[in-house]
Amino acid sequence: MSEDKEAQEDELLALASIYDEEEFHQAESAQGGEIQLCLELPPDFKVVVKGEKQSEYNVCFLPPLVLNFELPADYPSTSSPAFTLSSKWMTRAQMSSLCRRLDELWEENQGCVILFTWIQFLKEEAMDFLAIQSPLEVFRGGSKAGGERRKADSAATALAQCGSHSENSEAKKENSEPQLSLSSQLDPRAVLLRDPCADLLPQLLDFDEEQRQRVFDGKVFGCGICFAEKLGSDCLCFKECQHVYCKACMTEYFQIQIRDGKVQCLNCPEPKCTSLATPSQVKQLVDEELFARYDRLLLQSTLDLMADVVYCPRQTCGTAVMVEPDTTMGICSACQYAFCTLCKLGYHGLSHCKVTADELRNLRDEYLSATAEGKKFLEQRFGKRVIQKAVEESFSRDWLNENCKGCPRCGTNIQKVDGCNKMTCTSCRQYFCWLCLGLLSKVNPYSHFNNPHSPCYNQLFHGVDLDEEDAFWSDEED
């Protein structure tokens, strides 16, 4: 017995020296403990979700198998360790197969310490032993999941998410079948760790993310901004592109962008890279006040992109308002203001939106350059008569701008048909020069054209309007 005791203590001491505290935990009150074993996965291992739509997820780590053991007094000379094997993602049938294989390994090595051999088998050979290959299938949803689970338990070849119905079926099966049948299919030492009603996929993805981060934190990376080498725990990695920068540089970068309101520009600093930082990454690097601003602006920019969301036009409110399809009425949930979603004024029912003089002047160009759908929208908003009026007035305004000049005194449009450059306004009877729009004297209006210092004098007698030279010397009015 003293030799068994010594062998047990040596084996437990060896395990404690090989594995860290997270992998191996020795029980305090007995010769036993718990070993958590992460199975080695091949590169590009995928989890496939079967349901309404098939989705694939790349994973590097799956939740560990947990081996709980207790060493009897006559181990290893006579008895095998008592153990249970548990998992969050394997079926009981798969774990039962592993339990039977552990028994076989003990029989092959009886009289020798066996724990390390068990551990090596589970870590390195369990996947091949169970014929688990990529992609690994996870079934989600009610009765279908239960049916697939029962199929997996009988064949021990697929991963299935169990539902409460399948667990109840297994319980009935264990109570009704003979013990011999139970031992050949489901081993009582195989224990499911997951909640039968919980979704398995998030548990797999969360564990994979945690383990990836743990590996990342232990590596050394060179920052692409300050070029310093730092541990991964002091760095940030953009998830889409995997570019790495130190947290100090990214903190300053995020702070500047958020203060400037550019919350959509928290992208990877690598040129031409479009990867964006996740909200959780931003929260790690900035203080609470700045993150609250980031969160608010990000929500607002997201709402701005939604066609069915408008904002209450009251300056003291500005609450986001959901608009029903095919309606122009919005009702603010905060201040109860009913408004037109097109013109942002009080709701006016079936009446067309009122258009201001400035809007009317720009309406023609907007209407003529719009698509057929855009023209229809403008006609519904302002009415066809208003659109027609805007187009006609716009064309008239263009003709007046091209063919007339405004009286420098009253602004009346004046068209020159023929004659000299001394013009008389038809509205206020003011004399003015057609060339420079200067006001002319009532007593001697032609002195403006005879003065050598006048800009119009040089223009007239150097090749411009020379055919009208005689008219300037005439005392007749236009």
Side-chain angles (χ1 to χ4, degrees):
M1 288 297 181
S2 58
E3 294 181 359
D4 286 338
K5 182 70 172 178
E6 184 178 352
Q8 293 176 21
E9 292 179 352
D10 290 343
E11 185 177 28
L12 293 175
L13 183 61
L15 292 177
S17 63
I18 295 174
Y19 303 103
D20 58 33
E21 294 181 356
E22 293 186 2
E23 293 178 296
F24 172 65
H25 176 70
Q26 184 175 350
E28 297 180 358
S29 59
Q31 290 290 90
E34 178 182 280
I35 303 174
Q36 298 196 14
L37 305 166
C38 285
L39 277 58
E40 296 181 1
L41 304 181
D44 299 324
F45 193 84
K46 300 180 185 298
V47 172
V48 177
V49 179
K50 292 285 188 177
E52 295 181 0
K53 295 182 180 179
Q54 181 169 315
S55 302
E56 285 189 350
Y57 300 88
N58 290 320
V59 296
C60 296
F61 303 92
L62 288 173
L65 286 177
V66 180
L67 178 65
N68 284 279
F69 65 91
E70 185 175 343
L71 305 179
D74 56 352
Y75 166 81
S77 61
T78 306
S79 300
S80 167
F83 70 90
T84 61
L85 194 62
S86 52
S87 171
K88 289 185 177 181
W89 58 273
M90 279 190 180
T91 64
R92 289 189 63 195
Q94 290 171 323
M95 289 187 289
S96 297
S97 297
L98 294 177
C99 290
R100 289 192 291 272
R101 179 55 185 161
L102 295 184
D103 290 338
E104 293 174 357
L105 290 174
W106 164 250
E107 293 175 359
E108 295 172 3
N109 297 274
Q110 188 170 358
C112 302
V113 292
I114 196 62
L115 291 179
F116 186 76
T117 302
W118 282 357
I119 293 172
Q120 290 299 102
F121 164 74
L122 292 175
K123 289 187 64 172
E124 301 176 4
E125 303 178 33
M127 297 288 285
D128 291 336
F129 178 77
L130 296 175
I132 298 177
Q133 299 178 348
S134 177
L136 197 63
E137 294 183 347
V138 176
F139 296 89
R140 306 176 68 179
S143 59
K144 181 179 179 181
E148 294 291 348
R149 168 64 200 280
R150 288 189 294 272
K151 179 179 178 181
D153 275 344
S154 62
T157 58
L159 171 65
Q161 178 184 0
C162 76
S164 58
H165 177 70
S166 63
E167 289 295 320
N168 293 335
S169 299
E170 282 188 3
K172 293 179 181 178
K173 183 176 180 181
E174 291 179 8
N175 292 332
S176 60
E177 291 185 354
Q179 184 65 28
L180 181 60
S181 175
L182 175 63
S183 63
S184 64
Q185 294 187 19
L186 298 178
D187 195 300
R189 296 172 294 180
V191 181
L192 288 172
L193 292 179
R194 65 178 179 268
D195 182 354
C197 298
D199 194 348
L200 176 59
L201 180 64
Q203 299 180 49
L204 299 183
L205 298 182
D206 288 347
F207 180 82
D208 180 64
E209 179 67 21
E210 292 174 3
Q211 291 301 108
R212 287 183 191 229
Q213 187 63 46
R214 180 181 177 185
V215 173
F216 175 84
D217 290 345
K219 293 183 178 180
V220 176
F221 298 90
C223 175
I225 297 178
C226 65
F227 303 107
E229 290 190 349
K230 298 186 179 182
L231 280 173
S233 56
D234 296 323
C235 295
L236 180 141
C237 177
F238 286 86
K239 296 186 180 300
E240 295 181 16
C241 62
Q242 298 298 304
H243 291 146
V244 178
Y245 303 91
C246 74
K247 289 182 177 179
C249 292
M250 295 312 300
T251 298
E252 184 176 357
Y253 171 60
F254 287 169
Q255 288 174 345
I256 294 173
Q257 295 290 72
I258 296 173
R259 289 193 184 107
D260 291 343
K262 300 177 181 178
V263 295
Q264 297 284 9
C265 299
L266 301 184
N267 55 293
C268 173
E270 182 74 17
K272 299 182 179 180
C273 185
T274 58
S275 298
L276 292 174
T278 64
S280 61
Q281 289 177 324
V282 177
K283 189 173 184 178
Q284 291 176 3
L285 300 186
V286 300
D287 57 39
E288 292 184 5
E289 182 179 354
L290 210 56
F291 181 76
R293 172 177 170 80
Y294 161 81
D295 198 34
R296 183 179 67 255
L297 293 177
L298 186 63
L299 175 61
Q300 182 176 341
S301 63
T302 303
L303 292 176
D304 289 342
L305 298 175
M306 299 174 63
D308 56 349
V309 174
V310 297
Y311 293 94
C312 176
R314 285 183 169 174
Q315 293 184 353
T316 57
C317 185
T319 302
V321 178
M322 297 291 293
V323 180
E324 295 294 332
D326 301 325
T327 182
T328 59
M329 182 178 70
I331 300 179
C332 179
S333 59
C335 66
Q336 305 303 315
Y337 177 53
F339 60 94
C340 173
T341 59
L342 301 177
C343 64
K344 302 300 187 293
L345 299 176
Y347 185 64
H348 45 74
L350 299 179
S351 301
H352 296 298
C353 297
K354 294 180 180 180
V355 57
T356 63
D358 292 337
E359 291 176 337
L360 191 62
R361 282 192 288 270
N362 299 323
L363 193 55
R364 187 206 76 162
D365 294 337
E366 183 180 357
Y367 181 79
L368 294 179
S369 62
T371 62
E373 184 178 353
K375 290 180 179 179
K376 183 178 179 181
F377 170 76
L378 291 174
E379 291 172 357
Q380 290 176 343
R381 178 178 177 182
F382 299 108
K384 287 187 177 181
R385 290 185 179 180
V386 174
I387 296 291
Q388 184 179 4
K389 179 181 178 182
V391 172
E392 292 174 352
E393 289 186 358
S394 179
F395 279 123
S396 299
R397 185 172 63 253
D398 291 345
W399 187 90
L400 291 174
N401 291 336
E402 293 174 1
N403 297 279
C404 300
K405 293 183 180 181
C407 171
R409 183 179 181 183
C410 68
T412 301
N413 287 309
I414 304 296
Q415 180 188 11
K416 179 183 176 184
V417 179
D418 54 23
C420 70
N421 289 306
K422 181 186 78 69
M423 307 300 294
T424 304
C425 177
T426 57
S427 178
C428 66
R429 309 307 297 174
Q430 172 68 47
Y431 296 155
F432 65 93
C433 174
W434 177 259
L435 298 176
C436 68
L437 294 180
L439 298 177
L440 303 181
S441 170
K442 285 280 187 179
V443 178
N444 186 11
Y446 292 104
S447 62
H448 173 76
F449 304 101
N450 296 331
N451 184 0
H453 300 290
S454 169
C456 297
Y457 178 88
N458 294 329
Q459 186 174 355
L460 286 169
F461 292 102
H462 287 82
V464 179
D465 292 337
L466 293 179
D467 59 327
E468 299 177 358
E469 179 181 351
D470 294 340
F472 296 126
W473 307 105
S474 173
D475 291 335
E476 295 181 2
E477 296 183 357
D478 296 355

Coordinates of all heavy atoms in Angstrom, one line a residue, residues 247-284:
K247 N -2.4 50.0 -27.8 CA -3.5 50.6 -27.2 C -3.3 52.1 -27.0 O -4.2 52.9 -27.1 CB -3.9 49.9 -25.9 CG -4.5 48.6 -26.1 CD -5.0 48.0 -24.8 CE -5.6 46.6 -25.0 NZ -6.0 46.0 -23.7
A248 N -2.1 52.5 -26.7 CA -1.8 53.9 -26.4 C -2.0 54.8 -27.7 O -2.7 55.8 -27.6 CB -0.3 54.1 -26.0
C249 N -1.6 54.3 -28.8 CA -1.8 55.0 -30.1 C -3.3 55.0 -30.5 O -3.8 56.0 -30.9 CB -1.0 54.4 -31.2 SG 0.8 54.6 -31.0
M250 N -3.9 53.9 -30.3 CA -5.3 53.8 -30.7 C -6.2 54.6 -29.8 O -7.3 55.1 -30.2 CB -5.8 52.3 -30.7 CG -5.0 51.5 -31.8 SD -5.0 52.3 -33.4 CE -6.7 52.4 -33.8
T251 N -5.9 54.7 -28.5 CA -6.6 55.5 -27.6 C -6.7 57.0 -28.0 O -7.7 57.6 -28.1 CB -6.1 55.4 -26.2 OG1 -6.2 54.1 -25.7 CG2 -6.9 56.3 -25.2
E252 N -5.5 57.5 -28.4 CA -5.4 58.9 -28.9 C -6.2 59.1 -30.2 O -6.9 60.1 -30.4 CB -3.9 59.3 -29.0 CG -3.7 60.7 -29.4 CD -2.3 61.1 -29.5 OE1 -1.4 60.2 -29.2 OE2 -2.0 62.3 -29.9
Y253 N -6.0 58.1 -31.1 CA -6.7 58.1 -32.3 C -8.3 58.1 -32.2 O -9.0 59.0 -32.8 CB -6.3 56.9 -33.2 CG -7.0 56.7 -34.5 CD1 -7.1 57.7 -35.5 CD2 -7.7 55.5 -34.7 CE1 -7.8 57.4 -36.6 CE2 -8.4 55.3 -35.8 CZ -8.4 56.2 -36.8 OH -9.1 56.0 -38.0
F254 N -8.8 57.3 -31.3 CA -10.2 57.2 -31.1 C -10.7 58.5 -30.4 O -11.8 59.0 -30.8 CB -10.5 56.0 -30.2 CG -10.4 54.7 -30.9 CD1 -10.5 53.5 -30.1 CD2 -10.3 54.6 -32.2 CE1 -10.4 52.3 -30.8 CE2 -10.2 53.4 -32.9 CZ -10.2 52.2 -32.1
Q255 N -10.0 59.0 -29.5 CA -10.4 60.2 -28.8 C -10.6 61.4 -29.8 O -11.5 62.2 -29.7 CB -9.4 60.6 -27.7 CG -9.4 59.7 -26.5 CD -8.3 59.9 -25.5 OE1 -7.3 60.7 -25.8 NE2 -8.4 59.4 -24.3
I256 N -9.6 61.6 -30.7 CA -9.7 62.7 -31.6 C -10.9 62.5 -32.6 O -11.7 63.5 -32.8 CB -8.4 62.7 -32.5 CG1 -7.2 63.1 -31.6 CG2 -8.5 63.7 -33.6 CD1 -5.9 63.1 -32.2
Q257 N -11.1 61.3 -33.1 CA -12.2 61.1 -34.0 C -13.6 61.3 -33.3 O -14.5 61.8 -33.9 CB -12.1 59.6 -34.5 CG -10.9 59.4 -35.4 CD -11.0 60.1 -36.7 OE1 -10.8 61.3 -36.8 NE2 -11.2 59.3 -37.8
I258 N -13.7 60.8 -32.1 CA -15.0 60.9 -31.4 C -15.3 62.4 -31.0 O -16.4 62.9 -31.2 CB -15.0 60.0 -30.1 CG1 -14.9 58.6 -30.5 CG2 -16.3 60.3 -29.3 CD1 -14.7 57.6 -29.3
R259 N -14.3 63.1 -30.6 CA -14.5 64.5 -30.3 C -14.9 65.3 -31.5 O -15.6 66.3 -31.5 CB -13.2 65.1 -29.7 CG -12.9 64.6 -28.3 CD -11.8 65.5 -27.6 NE -11.5 64.9 -26.3 CZ -10.3 64.3 -26.1 NH1 -9.4 64.1 -27.0 NH2 -10.1 63.8 -24.8
D260 N -14.4 64.9 -32.7 CA -14.7 65.6 -34.0 C -16.1 65.1 -34.5 O -16.5 65.5 -35.6 CB -13.6 65.4 -35.0 CG -12.3 66.1 -34.6 OD1 -12.4 67.0 -33.8 OD2 -11.3 65.8 -35.2
G261 N -16.7 64.1 -33.8 CA -18.0 63.6 -34.3 C -17.9 62.6 -35.4 O -18.9 62.2 -36.0
K262 N -16.7 62.0 -35.7 CA -16.5 61.1 -36.8 C -16.5 59.7 -36.3 O -15.5 58.9 -36.4 CB -15.2 61.4 -37.5 CG -15.0 62.8 -38.1 CD -13.7 63.0 -38.7 CE -13.6 64.4 -39.2 NZ -12.2 64.7 -39.8
V263 N -17.7 59.3 -35.7 CA -17.8 58.0 -35.1 C -17.8 56.8 -36.1 O -17.6 55.7 -35.8 CB -19.0 57.9 -34.2 CG1 -18.9 58.8 -33.0 CG2 -20.3 58.2 -35.0
Q264 N -18.1 57.2 -37.4 CA -18.1 56.2 -38.5 C -16.7 56.0 -39.1 O -16.5 55.2 -40.0 CB -19.1 56.6 -39.6 CG -20.5 56.7 -39.1 CD -21.2 55.3 -39.0 OE1 -20.5 54.3 -39.1 NE2 -22.5 55.2 -38.8
C265 N -15.7 56.7 -38.5 CA -14.4 56.7 -39.1 C -13.4 56.1 -38.2 O -12.2 56.3 -38.3 CB -13.9 58.1 -39.4 SG -15.0 59.0 -40.7
L266 N -13.8 55.2 -37.2 CA -12.9 54.5 -36.3 C -12.4 53.3 -37.0 O -12.6 52.2 -36.5 CB -13.6 54.2 -35.0 CG -14.1 55.4 -34.2 CD1 -14.7 55.0 -32.9 CD2 -13.1 56.5 -34.0
N267 N -11.8 53.5 -38.1 CA -11.3 52.3 -38.9 C -9.8 52.1 -38.7 O -9.1 52.9 -38.1 CB -11.6 52.6 -40.4 CG -11.0 53.9 -40.9 OD1 -11.4 55.0 -40.5 ND2 -10.0 53.8 -41.8
C268 N -9.4 51.0 -39.3 CA -8.0 50.6 -39.2 C -7.1 51.7 -39.8 O -7.4 52.2 -40.9 CB -7.7 49.3 -39.8 SG -6.0 48.8 -39.9
P269 N -6.0 52.2 -39.1 CA -5.1 53.2 -39.7 C -4.4 52.8 -40.9 O -3.8 53.6 -41.6 CB -4.2 53.6 -38.5 CG -4.9 53.1 -37.3 CD -5.7 51.9 -37.7
E270 N -4.3 51.5 -41.2 CA -3.6 51.0 -42.4 C -4.3 51.6 -43.6 O -5.5 51.6 -43.8 CB -3.7 49.5 -42.5 CG -3.0 48.9 -43.6 CD -1.5 48.8 -43.5 OE1 -1.0 49.0 -42.3 OE2 -0.8 48.6 -44.5
P271 N -3.4 52.2 -44.5 CA -4.0 52.9 -45.8 C -4.9 51.9 -46.5 O -4.5 50.7 -46.8 CB -2.7 53.2 -46.5 CG -1.7 53.4 -45.5 CD -2.0 52.4 -44.5
K272 N -6.0 52.4 -47.0 CA -7.0 51.7 -47.8 C -7.7 50.6 -47.1 O -8.4 49.8 -47.7 CB -6.3 51.2 -49.1 CG -5.8 52.3 -50.0 CD -5.2 51.7 -51.3 CE -4.7 52.8 -52.2 NZ -4.1 52.3 -53.4
C273 N -7.4 50.4 -45.8 CA -8.1 49.4 -45.0 C -9.4 49.9 -44.4 O -9.5 51.0 -43.9 CB -7.2 48.9 -43.9 SG -7.9 47.4 -43.0
T274 N -10.5 49.1 -44.6 CA -11.8 49.6 -44.2 C -12.3 48.9 -42.9 O -13.5 49.0 -42.6 CB -12.8 49.3 -45.3 OG1 -12.8 47.9 -45.7 CG2 -12.4 50.2 -46.6
S275 N -11.5 48.1 -42.2 CA -11.9 47.4 -41.0 C -12.3 48.5 -39.9 O -11.6 49.4 -39.8 CB -10.9 46.5 -40.5 OG -10.6 45.5 -41.5
L276 N -13.4 48.2 -39.2 CA -13.8 49.1 -38.2 C -13.6 48.5 -36.8 O -13.7 47.3 -36.6 CB -15.3 49.5 -38.4 CG -15.7 50.3 -39.6 CD1 -17.2 50.4 -39.7 CD2 -15.1 51.7 -39.5
A277 N -13.4 49.4 -35.8 CA -13.3 48.9 -34.5 C -14.7 48.6 -33.9 O -15.6 49.3 -34.3 CB -12.6 50.0 -33.6
T278 N -14.8 47.6 -33.1 CA -16.1 47.2 -32.6 C -16.4 48.1 -31.4 O -15.5 48.7 -30.7 CB -16.1 45.7 -32.1 OG1 -15.1 45.6 -31.0 CG2 -15.7 44.8 -33.3
P279 N -17.7 48.3 -31.0 CA -18.0 49.1 -29.8 C -17.3 48.7 -28.6 O -16.9 49.5 -27.7 CB -19.5 49.0 -29.8 CG -20.0 48.8 -31.2 CD -18.9 47.9 -31.8
S280 N -17.1 47.3 -28.4 CA -16.5 46.8 -27.2 C -15.0 47.2 -27.2 O -14.5 47.5 -26.1 CB -16.6 45.3 -27.1 OG -16.0 44.7 -28.2
Q281 N -14.4 47.3 -28.3 CA -13.0 47.7 -28.4 C -12.9 49.2 -28.0 O -11.9 49.6 -27.3 CB -12.4 47.4 -29.8 CG -12.2 46.0 -30.0 CD -11.6 45.7 -31.4 OE1 -12.0 46.4 -32.4 NE2 -10.8 44.7 -31.6
V282 N -13.8 50.0 -28.6 CA -13.8 51.4 -28.3 C -14.0 51.7 -26.8 O -13.3 52.5 -26.2 CB -14.9 52.2 -29.1 CG1 -14.9 53.6 -28.7 CG2 -14.6 52.0 -30.6
K283 N -14.9 50.9 -26.2 CA -15.2 51.1 -24.7 C -14.0 50.8 -23.9 O -13.8 51.4 -22.8 CB -16.4 50.2 -24.4 CG -16.9 50.4 -23.0 CD -18.2 49.6 -22.7 CE -18.8 49.9 -21.4 NZ -20.0 49.1 -21.1
Q284 N -13.1 49.9 -24.3 CA -12.0 49.5 -23.5 C -10.9 50.7 -23.5 O -10.2 50.8 -22.5 CB -11.3 48.3 -24.1 CG -12.1 47.0 -24.0 CD -11.4 45.8 -24.7 OE1 -10.3 46.0 -25.2 NE2 -12.0 44.7 -24.6

